[in-house]
Amino acid sequence: MTDWIIQTISDLGYLGIFLVMLAESIFPPIPSELIIPFAGFAAANGDLNLYGVIATATFGAVVGMLPWYFAGRLFGLDRVRWLADRFGRLMAFNADEIDTAVSWFNRFGPIIVLFGRLMPIIRTLISIPAGLARMSLPVFLLASTAGALIWNTFLTLAGYILHEHYESIEVVLDPLSYLVLGLVVLLYLFKVATWKPSVSRA
């Protein structure tokens, strides 16, 4: 995957960064930790502009979030609650817990989206509950852009400063992706094991 990312950016420049970041936002297994540091390295070499890299990566990331956001809005909260009441153990949440989560999202949604964009795996999944909670599109875009801008600036500058040693970023951050994925899986298994029907169905 690393070779494909490097080749795409090397061949297509800013368009390559946009396309790879678009794919990264849609498919969680593609890690930005491999994409952006190399683009920062290319900027340090003078092949790309530092600010252009940050802007393009952020734009690609935000555009890539929209399909999941609209999928959540189109699918709708009522359908999710219906599924939770019938296949709750598989979903690991009952309808009451979904209502609670949406309530939290309605109160703190922008903050949740912003910080969610800074975490591997979560950065893609966070768009779905935002859509389900029918978060305002401008607010979603603003929070998503802010989070993506912070993350992409950090990774770009890391690749720019480390220059030829940009691969060392992967050594540090790649395990974090597996850690977050492992925690998500453990949380899911815990919820499945402790699942109870909602009060309305109990």
Side-chain angles (χ1 to χ4, degrees), residues 103-114 126 130 135 139 143:
S103 175
W104 274 82
F105 227 93
N106 288 334
R107 293 177 61 189
F108 307 108
I111 297 174
I112 296 172
V113 170
L114 191 155
I126 200 65
M135 177 185 288
V139 173

Side-chain angles (χ1 to χ4, degrees), residues 154-174:
F154 167 73
L155 291 179
T156 303
L157 289 177
Y160 187 90
I161 293 169
L162 290 174
H163 205 48
E164 290 90 349
H165 305 290
Y166 72 91
E167 297 97 335
S168 60
I169 301 169
E170 178 186 353
V171 175
V172 176
L173 293 179
D174 198 41

Side-chain angles (χ1 to χ4, degrees), residues 4-24 30 35-36 38-39 48 53 56-57 60:
W4 171 73
I5 289 170
I6 292 175
Q7 193 64 45
T8 301
I9 295 175
S10 298
D11 292 346
L12 301 178
Y14 297 113
L15 177 59
I17 294 172
F18 172 80
L19 292 175
V20 176
M21 286 302 294
L22 179 71
E24 186 263 351
I30 301 177
I35 303 168
I36 305 307
F38 176 74
L48 298 170
V53 167
T56 305

Side-chain angles (χ1 to χ4, degrees), residues 64-103:
M65 299 174 208
L66 292 175
W68 289 115
Y69 168 81
F70 285 116
R73 289 197 69 142
L74 290 173
F75 195 77
L77 184 59
D78 289 340
R79 287 192 182 93
V80 174
R81 295 185 82 260
W82 182 86
L83 289 171
D85 273 341
R86 286 155 182 78
F87 309 102
R89 189 173 294 279
L90 182 63
M91 292 182 62
F93 290 94
N94 63 38
D96 293 338
E97 290 172 323
I98 290 173
D99 287 340
T100 300
V102 169
S103 175

